[in-house]
Amino acid sequence: MSSTPVVREAQTAATYDASAKQKAAAKLSRIPVKVEAAEVLKKPDWIRVRAGSPTTRFYEIKQILRESNLHTVCEEASCPNIGECFGKGTATFMIMGDKCTRRCPFCDVGHGRPDPLDPLEPENLARTIAKLQLKYVVITSVDRDDLRDGGSQHFVDCIRTTRALSPATTIEILVPDFRGRDDRALEILKAAPPDVMNHNLETIPRLYKEARPGSDYQFSLNLLKKFKALFPQIPTKSGLMVGLGETDDEILDVMRDMRAHGIDMLTIGQYLAPTSSHLPVRRYVHPDTFKMFEARAYEMGFSHAAVGAMVRSSYHADQQAHAAGVASAAA
């Protein structure tokens, strides 16, 4: 009998296992709009990732995460900035497991039937944040469409426990859309609201069917609008990718929609395909265009706009919040 372990992530459609973690081609084999092959565009000079040599801090963060049984979106989504962020001792924690119930073809987070929630995760997360002495944390999650509250109570448990152990830490949450459960989720969040409420629109409405299957543009806007109505003093935030086939005018239209729905903070970054199985990059946006988006954002009244090729929703989130005048709930 062979002792060779079974590799479950590199599946094909023929060997589909809903309980396994599916990545890349295995994950995207069942999406409604298939990813079509396209010419691979050459990366321009302004797309640069600081690779560098991993620092002692980088490996320290990795070890602490594994010891605490925690995940980060930095690792799971193959973020190009992971070396810089880990090297500085920052990370975006991803709660509720590493298997998402959706199959967005721009995202490298794995898909599959999620595992049950870990009741120890809020405590593990809070202790890790305290151990790292983090002043600002971003807590995000996979989509958990299998849960009646979309995972909102788990967010509250994580916020409460973190504040108990690190009362001076500013907490930003980057939430899913709580599809069909947004009113229930927001009612639950009243028990422990964050310092910053973030939910990414990701792209323009015309591309939702292709890029965000299972999501709805207006629904995402309304989630942030409803939160703002409940907590007018808490900044709301959202992010966009460029390079998926949108036009500049369409991005500006989404920015106007954001402001019309009370969104305060904005991030815009260049989409980079994680693998050849994901949606292709259809254009590389020039730095001058990013500067235009930034200028227009402030004209529209955003309190802060982080705009640039390598900007990601959680990249330098502490600096973004500071520039927007965000203080922790304990302040």
Side-chain angles (χ1 to χ4, degrees):
M1 182 176 178
S2 173
S3 59
T4 303
V6 177
V7 178
R8 305 181 72 190
E9 290 189 10
Q11 299 180 86
T12 64
T15 60
Y16 178 73
D17 178 358
S19 65
K21 180 179 174 182
Q22 303 138 37
K23 299 275 283 186
K27 165 185 170 179
L28 302 178
S29 64
R30 292 170 175 250
I31 58 175
V33 178
K34 300 303 180 185
V35 176
E36 296 182 3
E39 177 188 359
V40 178
L41 303 180
K42 182 181 178 181
K43 286 185 180 180
D45 292 340
W46 62 81
I47 300 293
R48 298 182 183 278
V49 179
R50 298 177 185 176
S53 300
T55 63
T56 301
R57 187 64 164 158
F58 177 91
Y59 290 114
E60 179 188 359
I61 295 286
K62 283 255 190 184
Q63 182 177 350
I64 290 173
L65 290 169
R66 298 296 81 79
E67 290 173 351
S68 303
N69 194 30
L70 295 174
H71 303 284
T72 65
V73 74
C74 323
E75 296 170 291
E76 297 299 329
S78 304
C79 179
N81 301 315
I82 186 171
E84 179 184 354
C85 293
F86 273 25
K88 290 181 177 179
T90 63
T92 297
F93 297 96
M94 191 173 78
I95 60 174
M96 295 189 272
D98 62 350
K99 288 185 283 188
C100 187
T101 53
R102 301 193 197 173
R103 302 169 181 267
C104 297
F106 67 85
C107 179
D108 204 30
V109 172
H111 167 81
R113 182 186 299 140
D115 300 318
L117 292 180
D118 178 2
L120 300 179
E121 185 170 55
E123 183 73 19
N124 289 337
L125 174 65
R127 290 188 181 279
T128 299
I129 291 169
K131 184 175 183 179
L132 294 172
Q133 299 181 322
L134 300 179
K135 300 300 182 185
Y136 193 102
V137 297
V138 180
I139 303 172
T140 189
S141 78
V142 290
D143 279 287
R144 290 298 302 258
D145 296 321
D146 58 311
L147 301 176
R148 294 183 65 181
D149 66 350
S152 51
Q153 183 60 55
H154 202 71
F155 268 105
V156 166
D157 295 342
C158 289
I159 293 171
R160 278 177 165 165
T161 313
T162 297
R163 286 198 173 128
L165 297 185
S166 303
T169 298
T170 302
I171 300 173
E172 175 180 326
I173 60 173
L174 173 55
V175 300
D177 62 14
F178 302 118
R179 182 171 62 193
R181 308 172 179 89
D182 59 325
D183 290 331
R184 176 184 174 89
L186 292 175
E187 188 65 29
I188 291 171
L189 282 173
K190 284 182 180 180
D195 299 302
V196 176
M197 174 66 161
N198 188 352
H199 171 64
N200 286 333
L201 293 181
E202 305 291 10
T203 188
I204 62 168
R206 177 173 59 83
L207 295 177
Y208 257 54
K209 186 175 181 180
E210 177 184 24
R212 293 194 72 194
S215 302
D216 181 87
Y217 176 74
Q218 194 60 50
F219 196 95
S220 286
L221 280 172
N222 288 340
L223 170 67
L224 289 166
K225 182 178 181 179
K226 290 177 181 179
F227 180 90
K228 194 67 173 178
L230 289 173
F231 308 101
Q233 76 283 7
I234 297 178
T236 50
K237 177 179 174 181
S238 191
L240 293 168
M241 301 174 291
V242 290
L244 287 170
E246 73 295 320
T247 67
D248 293 347
D249 285 340
E250 286 176 312
I251 291 294
L252 293 171
D253 285 342
V254 172
M255 291 164 60
R256 294 185 190 98
D257 284 345
M258 287 180 174
R259 291 299 298 135
H261 288 75
I263 296 171
D264 303 297
M265 302 167 66
L266 169 70
T267 60
I268 303 179
Q270 172 70 52
Y271 168 67
L272 299 174
T275 73
S276 60
S277 298
H278 287 77
L279 288 175
V281 177
R282 294 193 170 96
R283 68 164 176 161
Y284 286 105
V285 174
H286 193 273
D288 289 345
T289 303
F290 281 116
K291 291 179 181 177
M292 179 272 291
F293 287 144
E294 182 179 16
R296 295 295 296 273
Y298 286 113
E299 290 173 7
M300 293 179 192
F302 285 96
S303 63
H304 190 266
V307 183
M310 300 312 297
V311 167
R312 298 296 181 265
S313 182
S314 303
Y315 183 53
H316 291 173
D318 55 340
Q319 297 176 26
Q320 296 169 27
H322 178 75
V326 177
S328 72

